[in-house]
Amino acid sequence: MKLIYGDCLQEMKKFDDKSFDIVFTSPPFKEEDVPTDYWSIKVNKYIWCDTFGIESISGKWKVHKYQDPLVLYDTVLKMFKGCNTVLDPFMGSGTTGAACANLGLEFTGIEKDESYFTVATHRLDDYL
Ligand SMILES: C[S@@+](CC[C@H](N)C(=O)[O-])C[C@H]1O[C@@H](n2cnc3c(N)ncnc32)[C@H](O)[C@@H]1O
């Protein structure tokens, strides 16, 4: 497992072609383009909870504003059989890394926000 603190647009230029089997990520978006209730209500309730039966993150488990449920990433990543090397260029709190650890996959994550990078590092500490 490798965690990189930096801007993915720069960091990804350092990788050789075909370094990863899959890019698995939740990219950033312009806050002004998204209604304030979009993530907290529509995505979490209608998609995660109602469609997948997966609860959104809350309480002490929530360490990132846009943190996704680990069980969701576990479930979706499992569908990509044969993809053993995974890149998340917008790592956030490291949910993709935690799923890779659960599934025995090799993970590389990039995060440009220092506080979120620290959060991910602590979360994934056991696997570094
Ligand atoms: C939607 S969040 C990812 C949340 C993550 N899936 C989780 O469950 O915690 C997107 C993340 O991308 C980071 N980010 C935005 N632009 C970036 C860039 N150019 N390089 C690296 N990270 C970036 C943001 O700081 C933010 O933490």
Side-chain angles (χ1 to χ4, degrees), residues 106-126:
E106 198 180 308
F107 175 69
T108 299
I110 308 172
E111 174 56 48
K112 76 169 185 182
D113 181 288
E114 189 177 7
S115 57
Y116 287 146
F117 182 79
T118 302
V119 162
T121 303
H122 286 146
R123 187 176 181 193
L124 301 171
D125 198 30
D126 287 349

Side-chain angles (χ1 to χ4, degrees), residues 7-83:
D7 185 332
C8 67
L9 299 179
Q10 300 308 319
E11 295 300 326
M12 286 194 295
K13 292 178 187 165
K14 300 175 188 170
F15 299 133
D16 292 331
D17 284 353
K18 302 186 179 171
S19 291
F20 304 97
D21 295 325
I22 187 171
V23 174
F24 189 92
T25 197
S26 165
F29 50 87
K30 285 186 185 168
E31 299 255 357
E32 61 269 27
D33 290 346
V34 182
T36 48
D37 68 348
Y38 183 74
W39 287 99
S40 58
I41 298 173
K42 294 195 174 111
V43 171
N44 287 335
K45 169 154 178 33
Y46 300 151
I47 301 179
W48 301 160
C49 299
D50 293 354
T51 308
F52 286 95
I54 293 172
E55 290 296 324
S56 59
I57 306 289
S58 62
K60 67 174 182 172
W61 302 110
K62 190 172 168 73
V63 290
H64 188 292
K65 188 174 178 190
Y66 302 116
Q67 185 176 345
D68 288 322
L70 177 57
V71 66
L72 175 71
Y73 283 23
D74 280 345
T75 306
V76 177
L77 258 178
K78 242 186 243 171
M79 296 176 189
F80 292 89
K81 291 215 182 309
C83 292

